[in-house]
Amino acid sequence: MRWWGWGEDGHDAPLSQGALAMLGERIGPLAGVRRDPVALADVLLPDPALPAAARERLVSAVGAEHVRGDRLARVTHAAGRGYHDLVRLRAGALDAAPDAVVYPADADEVAAVLRACAEADVAVVPFGGGTSVVGGVEPLRGAREAVVALDLARLDRLLAVDPISLTATVQAGVTGPALEAALGEHGMTLGHFPQSFEYATVGGWVATRSAGQASTGYGRIDALVVALRVVAPSGEMATRAVPASAAGPSLRELLVGSEGALGVIVEATLRLRPRPTVRRYEAFSFPGYAAGADAFRALVQDGVAPDVARLSDPVETQVSFALSGGPVLATRALTGYLRARGHGDGCLAIVGWEGTSEGVVRRRRATGARMLRAHGAVALGTPVGQAWEHGRFHAPYLRDELLAHGVMVETLETATTWDRLLALHEAVAAALDGALRARGTPPVVMSHVSHVYRAGASLYFTFVARQQEGAELEQWHAAKAAASDAILAAGGTITHHHAVGRDHAPWLPGEVGALGIELLRAAKATLDPAGVMNPGKLIDPAGFDPARPAGS
Ligand SMILES: Cc1cc2nc3c(=O)[nH]c(=O)nc-3n(C[C@H](O)[C@H](O)[C@H](O)COP(=O)(O)OP(=O)(O)OC[C@H]3O[C@@H](n4cnc5c(N)ncnc54)[C@H](O)[C@@H]3O)c2cc1C
């Protein structure tokens, strides 16, 4: 991945003049000149602070060629891929970077690195794909002398596939495409497709409780984990690969979502499905958000939810229609047709059914579509659904381009029960709007229901505003804090799938309570008594302040 953004060099997503004009109309005039990233050589980096003795121990653990301290390695491990990361990377203003990047080859080398770091008082940040959007891989050292990034890229093998139990055991550093390619050879899939699929890793997914775009059907990653192998400074833990167990509280669940603060996930045994051969992705329009939400609730509560279930609010629907710009959506005929049906302020739903049997997929789809129509939906057909499927990994490339035009674009997510969903939606949208208007940068705030459950659903917000030049991080912080406060006040979770990281840590006590935090700290004290694992994240709210140097 290029060091300042998303994707490989050359994979760009230029915005059309029409899209830029529409954006300018909604959020105010955009910067006339492009704001491109500084050159790598101009990125300001603190001097490396790894004591020589600690470096020697790391070298003896993994070999000299696997302990890197060069500029590229340090910069590419200095930040995740959230908006605030990209702002700092593009400006070349990193106030922290790992003092070294260490690449172990296997679980034994991970254990040796952790031992060395615990003894030498060096913080360790486990690093998968580095796609965290919540400051999860921020190289904070806390009270430690130095900090290293522990990159799991060399733990990249599919270890075993069990076609009888439909499971696979895989090393933590495997990325999405590599995993799906390897499982494809066995006719299997994990079915886990987060938007960061191209770069994120199995270990990162498990450590953050990730959700994929088809998680309504396949289950989130936490539902797909059968067993884990974790190396902590205190030793190794492996949970047993059994389908279910009543052997006390689930230690597997303690390790899923542990965000590198308890130890390093080195292997995961995951549930598989046969690779689908039949896919039907299509779109519907609802007259309003409430009608769409009712329809989605009915689907899931009646046990006929599609594998992909997304319901855009009216703003996101309008922006999707406008941005598509092509023959599929933005035709006058379609808009006129929807208006005539009372869908002038309608909501776009994307639903996808997939499986290995044409007949089963057809029946599931027919039942689902009937139910959606009964809730006022109008079918928009498969081309719209296929267009969504085709472009579903495109947004992060677009984000880089928006940043070049001086546009802030950020996302956040939450979930709550159905009875509170619409109120939560309104509260978060109002909080973001209020916080950004107060800074003179009125935003466009849009949202969609991204996953549905019998008890509720998740909401995924995207907000776009003119950047406040020179105060980009303070602007972001104001919006993020307002939204996070609103989420907790309205009964949502501080995160449905992005994890806690650095950014959400101050809100975790509000969600799990002081005793809950104590319990997590006790687990950390057992597994990581020296406190070297990923300081400033999850249960340590030290880092959420853009005015404060990230390395402190
Ligand atoms: C453009 C974009 C789109 C995204 N879309 C989605 C989405 O659709 N769904 C979703 O859930 N998330 C999404 N994310 C967030 C992010 O991709 C996920 O959190 C992902 O699971 C992180 O995986 P990673 O391998 O990149 O982990 P990293 O970013 O490297 O690490 C994330 C956290 O996990 C820890 N960690 C990583 N590997 C290990 C390990 N082996 N053992 C212990 N701890 C570890 C790190 O220390 C850090 O705290 C998106 C991010 C971006 C930038």
Side-chain angles (χ1 to χ4, degrees):
M1 198 179 342
R2 49 191 159 203
W3 64 266
W4 51 265
W6 194 255
E8 307 284 329
D9 276 344
H11 186 156
D12 297 322
L15 279 161
S16 68
Q17 284 309 316
L20 285 172
M22 180 202 71
L23 205 55
E25 269 167 34
R26 288 182 178 244
I27 64 173
L30 304 183
V33 279
R34 279 185 74 86
R35 296 182 190 161
D36 285 321
V38 302
L40 178 62
D42 294 333
V43 176
L44 296 175
L45 283 178
D47 290 337
L50 190 66
R55 189 171 196 286
E56 257 170 48
R57 292 210 49 184
L58 292 172
V59 165
S60 71
V62 298
E65 70 276 36
H66 301 304
V67 181
R68 284 179 60 181
D70 56 281
R71 169 170 284 268
L72 184 61
R74 293 183 71 212
V75 171
T76 50
H77 293 79
R81 284 297 178 270
Y83 170 74
H84 55 75
D85 298 310
L86 300 183
V87 166
R88 289 176 300 141
L89 283 166
R90 295 173 70 99
L94 295 170
D95 29 33
D99 297 303
V101 183
V102 185
Y103 297 83
D106 55 28
D108 289 344
E109 289 195 4
V110 170
V113 169
L114 298 193
R115 262 195 313 274
C117 288
E119 283 164 23
D121 197 32
V122 173
V124 182
V125 181
F127 196 99
T131 65
S132 169
V133 286
V134 293
V137 291
E138 196 76 18
L140 306 179
R141 73 193 57 196
R144 313 275 79 81
E145 277 210 26
V147 56
V148 297
L150 186 144
D151 190 314
L152 291 143
R154 293 173 71 208
L155 278 75
D156 62 352
R157 281 182 303 129
L158 173 63
L159 298 174
V161 171
D162 175 351
I164 299 171
S165 315
L166 293 185
T167 63
T169 300
V170 55
Q171 288 187 310
V174 180
T175 61
L179 178 67
E180 283 299 323
L183 293 178
E185 288 178 16
H186 299 264
M188 301 286 174
T189 181
L190 180 63
H192 191 71
F193 299 101
Q195 197 184 54
S196 52
F197 172 78
E198 293 160 280
Y199 296 99
T201 61
V202 167
W205 293 340
V206 175
T208 60
R209 291 188 175 272
S210 158
Q213 291 165 340
S215 286
T216 291
Y218 286 85
R220 302 151 52 95
I221 199 73
D222 31 334
L224 300 176
V225 173
V226 179
L228 288 180
R229 182 176 172 201
V230 171
V231 174
S234 292
E236 184 173 317
M237 267 184 74
T239 66
R240 187 162 286 228
V242 289
S245 165
S250 168
L251 293 177
R252 184 191 63 212
E253 281 298 294
L254 179 68
L255 299 168
V256 173
S258 56
E259 301 190 25
L262 302 183
V264 179
I265 297 160
V266 290
E267 279 173 32
T269 300
L270 303 166
R271 291 190 171 84
L272 306 179
R273 297 252 195 114
R275 183 159 286 236
T277 48
V278 187
R279 276 202 178 82
R280 183 165 172 129
Y281 282 53
E282 60 191 312
F284 288 85
S285 169
F286 283 95
Y289 204 42
D294 279 351
F296 272 31
R297 177 168 60 83
L299 282 180
V300 67
Q301 291 182 342
D302 276 19
V304 290
D307 299 304
V308 172
R310 291 167 63 95
L311 173 69
S312 295
D313 68 6
V315 181
E316 192 174 274
T317 301
Q318 283 157 21
V319 171
S320 306
F321 275 45
L323 278 184
S324 77
V328 178
L329 280 175
T331 62
R332 280 175 185 220
L334 179 64
T335 317
Y337 169 73
L338 288 174
R339 215 171 270 134
R341 306 282 300 259
H343 290 225
D345 266 335
C347 292
L348 178 68
I350 302 288
V351 290
W353 281 275
E354 49 187 61
T356 50
S357 153
E358 182 78 48
V360 172
V361 171
R362 197 175 332 111
R363 273 195 301 281
R364 284 179 66 208
R365 186 260 156 197
T367 313
R370 207 175 313 120
M371 206 176 261
L372 294 178
R373 280 201 201 87
H375 282 82
V378 170
L380 301 180
T382 50
V384 181
Q386 284 160 0
W388 174 81
E389 187 189 8
H390 184 68
R392 65 190 188 162
F393 299 124
H394 181 65
Y397 298 92
L398 207 55
R399 183 176 58 161
D400 285 340
E401 184 65 12
L402 286 165
L403 277 156
H405 287 278
V407 176
M408 165 193 210
V409 50
E410 174 64 312
T411 63
L412 52 88
E413 33 70 68
T414 177
T416 195
T417 45
W418 286 111
D419 59 323
R420 293 188 282 204
L421 194 74
L422 296 182
L424 176 65
H425 172 256
E426 266 180 36
V428 177
L432 287 168
D433 189 76
L436 288 165
R437 251 174 225 287
R439 300 185 74 90
T441 53
V444 174
V445 181
M446 49 198 158
S447 163
H448 62 259
V449 168
S450 61
H451 305 87
V452 296
Y453 307 88
R454 288 180 71 82
S458 66
L459 291 174
Y460 185 90
F461 289 87
T462 304
F463 53 101
V464 178
R466 266 177 301 121
Q467 279 185 322
Q468 242 185 318
E469 207 176 344
E472 292 88 351
L473 294 177
E474 289 80 357
Q475 177 193 28
W476 167 79
H477 187 278
K480 180 78 183 170
S484 300
D485 288 345
I487 284 172
L488 284 199
T493 173
I494 192 62
T495 173
H496 168 261
H497 58 263
H498 281 168
V500 176
R502 180 203 60 172
D503 302 350
H504 293 143
W507 283 269
L508 191 65
E511 180 154 343
V512 303
L515 197 56
I517 296 288
E518 278 310 303
L519 192 57
L520 290 173
R521 289 214 171 112
K524 183 168 172 73
T526 300
L527 292 170
D528 174 27
V532 292
M533 296 305 304
N534 216 0
K537 324 289 163 52
L538 188 61
I539 45 180
D540 174 4
F544 185 76
D545 184 353
R548 159 189 179 139
S552 62

